[in-house]
Amino acid sequence: MIEVQDKQLEEILEDAISSLSINKVQLCSITKKIQPKNPVCFFEAARQIEKDRVFWTSTNDAFSIAGVGNAYDISANENRFQHMELKWKQVIDQAIIHNSFDVPGTGLVSLGGMDFDPKKDRTELWGDFPAIQFTVPEYMLTKYKENYYFTINVLAKKTDHPIQLANQLRDTERFLLTPIKAEKEKLRMLTTKVIAPEEWKKTVKKATEEIRHTSIDKIVLAREMRVKLNKNANIATILDQLLATQSNSFVFAFERNNNCFIGATPERLVKIENKQLLSTCLAGTAPRGKSETEDRQISNQLFHDEKNREEHDFVVQMIKKGLNKYCVNVHVPEEPTVYPLKNLQHLYTPVTGKLKAGYSIFDIVEQLHPTPALGGVPRNDAITFIRDYELLDRGWYGAPVGWLDSNDNGEFAVAIRSALIQNDEASLFAGCGVVKDSIPEAEFEETRIKFTPMLSVLGGES
């Protein structure tokens, strides 16, 4: 691989086009290093060219990807993980990739997500989000530590003229890399509607009865809040606010037509970099205190709370068992720590290992999803209850979202603390773990707190 300079763009495209037969196309991926650019400004600039956008930031790792347009889409229905892995390998094998940088998230990268439960009946709410879909953006900005990279992914056709195509790509690149700041005017909520609160509490009660009389230990139930805004939401502005307020989180946005699934989740499912794997167990929740003293008291109560520790241990044991199948040198600390966020704090345990040869990040995602923090214990029985009795179509909420590259690096987080925005309306989602002694009113209050991160950036209060 050679480092790509602008003058080489025509040569790369000419070689790709000349090798094509009629009615064939060639995916070309071309990466270069650039001067620092704000990923949110890049994302905002893309609004002017009316293409779908994607955004991903791991705030703790100084890592961001902002993507524009769809050079290639991969979707599936049956055997979704196996099909996606096979198709992704085919895309990599057939693509021409010019990337001289050994940097995660550069070169050929695909970003996307999937349904929480592919067997759940779908509703119109998630109509623009396939059961599983990953997109290779046409233009992509990657920030890795202190360095920035720009990638063009173009689907070249036999009828394309290499010089004209190169000039078109450069024109769009210049436009996207010209600084454009997101508008600063904040949104206001005009109305909020909690969907079926009393029915939801009855479902919690039914879940506790199911747990007492069956082998189920835990069932996670989610609910929805619908809000009306004073104007169409500017997604870049919301991203800016999430980045400013939700530290220790993965900030994401997946745009499809006029819908955008956006959030700031603290829960990593899996990260793989150079075959080194990291998964995190995040379960057990409490609010932050209004003072340092109160915050420490709440943190200490959370750490010693039997219900929360039990809920957390469900997740730890499941992830440890799952990773032992695909990894060597699996390490799990003996006790959790308390992980602070702006509005909430959680019990947290990291799990590390090294991926065995012959396995991919899709194997890990399939093994771990859904964790007990989003589904329940045992998994299949809990999911069946959720499928039969939960009052909403989760869609991509609570499911893995993330990215993977052509060098076997990737990262997925669990899409909680999120909202599906549709112009001047939004659906917000929050869930909680129900066990045999759960009290419906207390669980309702826990989910109310979990709405806070998204409510705060949409102009509302908890």
Side-chain angles (χ1 to χ4, degrees), residues 4-73:
V4 178
Q5 305 297 330
D6 275 356
K7 65 181 181 181
Q8 296 170 317
L9 183 56
E10 289 93 344
E11 298 173 15
I12 295 169
L13 294 174
E14 185 174 8
D15 289 345
I17 292 168
S18 63
S19 67
L20 288 171
S21 58
I22 299 297
N23 298 326
K24 295 292 185 179
V25 294
Q26 176 64 61
L27 179 60
C28 300
S29 181
I30 307 156
T31 299
K32 64 180 181 180
K33 195 172 184 179
I34 62 171
Q35 294 299 310
K37 301 292 179 183
N38 186 314
V40 176
C41 293
F42 179 87
F43 186 92
E44 172 66 8
R47 186 162 65 108
Q48 310 301 317
I49 58 177
E50 297 183 349
K51 291 178 180 286
D52 287 345
R53 302 169 293 177
V54 294
F55 187 90
W56 177 272
T57 287
S58 174
T59 56
N60 284 342
D61 299 327
F63 177 85
S64 299
I65 298 176
V68 180
N70 302 345
Y72 201 98
D73 277 336

Side-chain angles (χ1 to χ4, degrees), residues 58-89:
S58 174
T59 56
N60 284 342
D61 299 327
F63 177 85
S64 299
I65 298 176
V68 180
N70 302 345
Y72 201 98
D73 277 336
I74 310 170
S75 58
N77 289 312
E78 301 297 325
N79 299 316
R80 55 181 181 168
F81 296 107
Q82 294 84 353
H83 180 87
M84 291 300 299
E85 182 169 4
L86 177 62
K87 190 66 176 177
W88 178 236
K89 288 180 178 178

Side-chain angles (χ1 to χ4, degrees), residues 14 16 21 28 77 93 121 141 152 219 250 286 291 308 353 416 452:
E14 185 174 8
S21 58
C28 300
N77 289 312
D93 290 343
D121 291 339
L141 174 68
I152 293 173
I219 299 170
F250 301 91
S291 66
N308 279 293
I416 56 176
T452 304

Side-chain angles (χ1 to χ4, degrees), residues 1-2 4 12 28-32 96-101 107:
M1 291 186 181
I2 58 174
V4 178
I12 295 169
C28 300
S29 181
I30 307 156
T31 299
K32 64 180 181 180
I96 296 173
I97 305 171
H98 287 262
N99 178 25
S100 63
F101 309 102

Side-chain angles (χ1 to χ4, degrees), residues 52-53 92 104 110 131 152 203 247 262 276 320 361 365 455:
D52 287 345
R53 302 169 293 177
I92 294 171
S110 183
I152 293 173
T203 307
S247 59
I262 184 171
Q276 298 300 312
K320 180 181 178 181
I361 198 167
V365 172
L455 281 174

Side-chain angles (χ1 to χ4, degrees), residues 353-369:
K354 183 177 181 181
L355 191 66
K356 294 179 182 177
Y359 295 116
S360 76
I361 198 167
F362 280 120
D363 293 309
I364 305 299
V365 172
E366 182 177 19
Q367 178 68 36
L368 297 185
H369 173 71

Side-chain angles (χ1 to χ4, degrees), residues 337-353:
T337 59
V338 176
Y339 193 75
L341 302 170
K342 179 179 175 59
N343 311 107
L344 302 167
Q345 46 192 325
H346 302 280
L347 294 176
Y348 166 86
T349 299
V351 182
T352 58

